[in-house]
Amino acid sequence: MHPPPSTSSEVISKKAIIVGLVLVIVNAYWVGIASELWYAVYTLVSPFSNAVFTLVVLLALNFVLGRISPRAAFTRAELLLIYIMVTMVSTISGHAMMAILMGTLAHPFWFESAENEWAQLFLHHIPEWLTVHDPEWLAGYYEGESSFYLSEHLTVWIKPILIWSGFIFILYGSLLCLGLLLRKQWMEREKLSFPLTQLPLQMTTNRSFFKLRSLWIGFGIAALLRVLAGLHDLFPVIPAFPSSYRLDRHITERPWSAVGYVSMSFNLAIVGLTYFMPLDLSFSTWFFFWLTRAERVIASAVGVTNISRLGLNDRASGAWIGIAALTLWMGRRHIIRFLRHAIGLERGDDANEPLTYRTTAILSILSVGGVFGFCYFAGMSLWVITVFYVLFIAFALAIGRVRAELGPPYHEVIGINPRQIMVNTIGTRVLGAPNLTVMTFLYAFNRCNRSHPMPNQIESLRIGDQARIPGKTLVLSMALAIGVGAVATFWTYLQVAYHYGVLARCQGHVGHFGWESFNPLQSWLQHPREANVSSIIFMSGGFGFVFLLHFLRTRLLWWTLHPSGYVLSGASWGGLIYFWFPVMVSWFLKFMILRFSGWHTYRKAIPFFLGLVLGDFIPRSVLSLISFALNLYMPSSGAGHSL
């Protein structure tokens, strides 16, 4: 079914890249329309279910091609390259990024009124080229029953589409350069495990993968639950197993009621994916989740009723920055060698790199310069751009590191982003209205970080390395997927919006995100704030706590708590808040297997747990296609956080 692994770089045909670009456009539309028309989110969990389903379909077609015309079949490297390209566009399209950006772009000039005083507060700080200013051409966008293909709509949107697509390309390109810089350090020197690359690699490189009985047992269990849910959507009389169960609804007495949102998810795909997390790291994630719940209860017991006084988000902000600092510290020698090579002071070993160090350095300078240029001409001060971008890179580094080392399939971070950190630590008076306005348009790139490009890019580089994909071809294909995917995603959202109406028939959250972006801006400009000293103290505490955990892990062999586990579960919302239970189940199963049966049994069980993932992802994707065909909302296809 698949060609044998190669010991040297495999040849990638133009056919594979063309097919990849076609599927980039298809997936941009699929993910976008599912997200906003039905609120069926495919980029909530990594690896993305739409990308996995695309790979499964390609494998099936490739099997048929191999029987009919073996020369026409794709190699395993080509299949994985197409998978990577689909993954790249999935970091752009959907609820986790583009919905927020589109909700923000169209919002201020449509909802401006005398009551909210937006015209006096910040509208004059929005450049003409940044978005559509005339509410006349936004009526169809919000109300529907129109067409994006009217000449007037195309005329007013073409400039913002091209400018923002270009910005996404250079911003994501700067992260890809960062990944290229860290590739050798993480993959060859530290030998991080990259747990979430297991599924696509096993599917394409293990010849007997789809013949394993344990795989199909796991597939059957998960698929049965998902198919029953789909049948329940079509015929409500058919019972379905619940996707989750809320525990906090039964906790009504103080101080226990302060525990907050606690839901037991029964998602088997998460059980399968987190089977590959190291035991101490998976333990740390659910341990710190319950530690923060206990902290809430104890605070309530001693009379603290306002959860914000605990500074959970501020501590988590400092902790994420601490992970980034630790990452840079551990890779400092490699980074110094890279910089010395780039400026010609020494000769580094870049023979096996996708791009030479000097090429990576030049592309980094160009992409970062492009980001600074965009923000400067939009109205931001250079010092604010610098602070904002440093924080953006810090989050990218930290999330990428946590994914490469720990492999959490879900890492939502709500309320923790560069804009909020700068408001808390610098104050709105110092930042000023022009900077705050432009930062509001950048809110989409760090609003929740579920489908953040950095971890997906570094994992794609890992897959390319394992599959022997030629480095330059891999980087070029990823760049093409990002560029084409950005334009295709804008086209998707505008087509859907003008046809269905953001406030009319769309059930996604694109109509809500504008308020989430601009209401804080209005509040900050009407009621300016100074720097929040308590936030700075809490952030410093979170930063220091990460270094303490790292110190204990390096000095005490028995210490199991990991700083990456803390950042995933330490905030007031996000992290593994929806999926702590399947992570705990997976940890317990893996612990029992290793404790009583050993490493051999653990290896034999891998196909079963991967089967749980495929058994959930594939039926859910099929149900999504059925919902499109029937024009019917089917929650079982992946609605919201219940998956």
Side-chain angles (χ1 to χ4, degrees):
M1 184 172 178
H2 309 297
S6 174
T7 57
S8 60
S9 296
E10 297 194 14
V11 176
I12 302 296
S13 64
K14 293 181 180 179
K15 171 190 67 177
I17 298 176
I18 293 171
V19 170
L21 289 176
V22 171
L23 290 176
V24 160
I25 297 171
V26 170
N27 276 269
Y29 183 79
W30 181 16
V31 173
I33 194 171
S35 172
E36 303 319 318
L37 186 58
W38 298 125
Y39 190 43
V41 185
Y42 298 130
T43 56
L44 191 74
V45 167
S46 297
F48 304 133
S49 60
N50 63 293
V52 173
F53 179 74
T54 301
L55 182 57
V56 169
V57 172
L58 285 173
L59 284 167
L61 292 175
N62 209 46
F63 178 76
V64 176
L65 279 176
R67 294 295 181 90
I68 300 173
S69 177
R71 295 185 62 183
F74 294 108
T75 66
R76 67 152 189 166
E78 290 174 330
L79 291 170
L80 286 169
L81 181 67
I82 295 172
Y83 168 83
I84 288 169
M85 295 176 72
V86 171
T87 298
M88 290 301 98
V89 72
S90 301
T91 64
I92 301 171
S93 189
H95 172 78
M97 200 289 280
M98 186 56 74
I100 306 157
L101 181 59
M102 290 302 299
T104 302
L105 284 181
H107 191 85
F109 291 96
W110 178 255
F111 287 101
E112 180 273 330
S113 66
E115 290 74 19
N116 59 35
E117 300 179 335
W118 286 1
Q120 293 76 31
L121 290 172
F122 59 80
L123 290 190
H124 55 288
H125 295 305
I126 303 175
E128 178 273 332
W129 49 266
L130 201 63
T131 185
V132 176
H133 287 235
D134 193 339
E136 177 184 357
W137 310 122
L138 294 175
Y141 180 88
Y142 283 101
E143 299 169 359
E145 304 299 331
S146 183
S147 172
F148 172 58
Y149 301 108
L150 297 179
S151 60
E152 298 88 349
H153 295 158
L154 290 170
T155 300
V156 297
W157 275 107
I158 187 64
K159 186 186 292 185
I161 288 174
L162 294 177
I163 289 174
W164 278 101
S165 295
F167 178 71
I168 292 171
F169 182 78
I170 59 175
L171 182 67
Y172 283 31
S174 71
L175 295 179
L176 180 55
C177 290
L178 181 62
L180 290 169
L181 189 158
L182 294 169
R183 191 205 70 82
K184 181 185 287 290
Q185 175 67 21
W186 287 5
M187 297 181 195
E188 299 178 19
R189 293 197 171 97
E190 296 187 49
K191 298 187 183 301
L192 301 183
S193 57
F194 294 88
L196 293 183
T197 63
Q198 285 284 337
L199 181 59
L201 286 172
Q202 287 284 336
M203 290 169 63
T204 52
T205 61
N206 187 345
R207 288 178 176 274
S208 60
F209 180 72
F210 289 101
K211 300 176 183 178
L212 296 171
R213 182 181 179 186
S214 57
L215 170 78
W216 292 107
I217 292 174
F219 182 95
I221 294 172
L224 175 63
L225 298 181
R226 183 61 62 180
V227 170
L228 283 176
L231 292 173
H232 176 75
D233 292 340
L234 296 172
F235 311 102
V237 68
I238 297 177
F241 193 80
S243 61
S244 60
Y245 185 75
R246 289 280 297 274
L247 296 178
D248 56 293
R249 291 175 177 172
H250 304 288
I251 307 173
T252 58
E253 299 293 329
R254 288 191 60 189
W256 305 105
S257 58
V259 71
Y261 180 91
V262 180
S263 177
M264 295 174 61
S265 169
F266 305 126
N267 189 290
L268 294 182
I270 303 297
V271 175
L273 289 169
T274 53
Y275 181 71
F276 301 97
M277 292 169 63
L279 272 179
D280 57 341
L281 299 182
S282 57
F283 171 79
S284 297
T285 56
W286 64 261
F287 172 84
F288 281 116
F289 171 82
W290 281 110
L291 184 63
T292 57
R293 304 296 132 179
E295 188 176 355
R296 291 167 178 253
V297 172
I298 293 171
S300 178
V302 299
V304 178
T305 56
N306 187 351
I307 191 66
S308 64
R309 293 180 62 186
L310 297 177
L312 295 178
N313 281 350
D314 293 320
R315 283 186 283 164
S317 298
W320 280 108
I321 296 173
I323 294 291
L326 275 174
T327 300
L328 292 175
W329 176 254
M330 289 185 286
R332 64 192 183 281
R333 293 185 179 87
H334 171 72
I335 295 172
I336 291 172
R337 280 192 294 267
F338 173 90
L339 294 175
R340 289 177 63 85
H341 176 95
I343 60 178
L345 293 181
E346 69 175 58
R347 177 65 185 174
D349 181 14
D350 61 355
N352 296 322
E353 295 296 309
L355 301 178
T356 65
Y357 285 164
R358 190 157 293 173
T359 300
T360 300
I362 293 172
L363 291 176
S364 298
I365 293 171
L366 291 175
S367 58
V368 174
V371 171
F372 270 65
F374 174 92
C375 295
Y376 179 78
F377 287 110
M380 290 177 70
S381 305
L382 285 176
W383 74 269
V384 176
I385 301 172
T386 302
V387 176
F388 186 94
Y389 187 70
V390 166
L391 289 172
F392 175 78
I393 289 296
F395 274 100
L397 265 177
I399 295 172
R401 172 75 190 202
V402 169
R403 272 272 289 273
E405 183 177 32
L406 174 61
Y410 181 80
H411 41 75
E412 179 180 63
V413 184
I414 296 290
I416 301 174
N417 53 75
R419 180 179 74 157
Q420 190 64 52
I421 291 174
M422 293 175 70
V423 166
N424 290 342
T425 58
I426 300 174
T428 60
R429 292 185 187 276
V430 176
L431 289 171
N435 288 313
L436 289 169
T437 301
V438 179
M439 283 195 291
T440 297
F441 283 96
L442 302 178
Y443 177 62
F445 298 100
N446 274 120
R447 187 257 176 185
C448 60
N449 299 297
R450 294 172 186 148
S451 60
H452 198 288
M454 178 65 183
N456 290 286
Q457 289 175 357
I458 196 70
E459 286 170 354
S460 295
L461 293 176
R462 168 70 168 188
I463 291 172
D465 182 70
Q466 294 290 298
R468 306 286 183 180
I469 301 174
K472 292 182 180 179
T473 302
L474 173 63
V475 173
L476 176 62
S477 299
M478 292 171 68
L480 283 173
I482 293 169
V484 172
V487 175
T489 301
F490 271 107
W491 163 75
T492 295
Y493 270 75
L494 290 169
Q495 183 192 37
V496 170
Y498 276 96
H499 183 71
Y500 295 101
V502 166
L503 301 180
R505 295 161 60 190
C506 287
Q507 299 187 40
H509 282 202
V510 65
H512 163 78
F513 286 130
W515 296 111
E516 185 178 318
S517 300
F518 283 100
N519 280 346
L521 176 62
Q522 177 184 344
S523 174
W524 293 331
L525 296 180
Q526 290 177 334
H527 309 286
R529 300 182 185 180
E530 304 294 342
N532 190 323
V533 176
S534 65
S535 292
I536 297 173
I537 293 173
F538 279 126
M539 284 182 61
S540 301
F543 185 91
F545 187 59
V546 160
F547 275 82
L548 174 63
L549 290 174
H550 177 73
F551 174 81
L552 292 173
R553 279 185 60 83
T554 56
R555 295 297 188 274
L556 304 174
L557 294 177
W558 52 268
W559 187 265
T560 59
L561 297 179
H562 197 284
S564 293
Y566 172 67
V567 295
L568 282 171
S569 302
S572 61
W573 192 267
L576 289 176
I577 192 167
Y578 298 110
F579 302 124
W580 62 268
F581 182 68
V583 172
M584 190 165 66
V585 169
S586 183
W587 167 84
F588 178 75
L589 292 175
K590 183 175 179 178
F591 173 80
M592 296 299 288
I593 290 172
L594 291 175
R595 177 69 174 81
F596 295 104
S597 298
W599 186 257
H600 179 68
T601 303
Y602 163 79
R603 297 283 299 176
K604 288 184 65 176
I606 286 176
F608 171 81
F609 285 91
L610 291 178
L612 292 178
V613 182
L614 291 176
D616 185 82
F617 281 8
I618 295 175
R620 177 146 52 90
S621 299
V622 173
L623 289 171
S624 172
L625 299 178
I626 293 174
S627 73
F628 289 147
L630 300 179
N631 195 26
L632 176 69
Y633 176 44
M634 298 181 66
S636 59
S637 66
H641 305 94
S642 66
L643 287 179

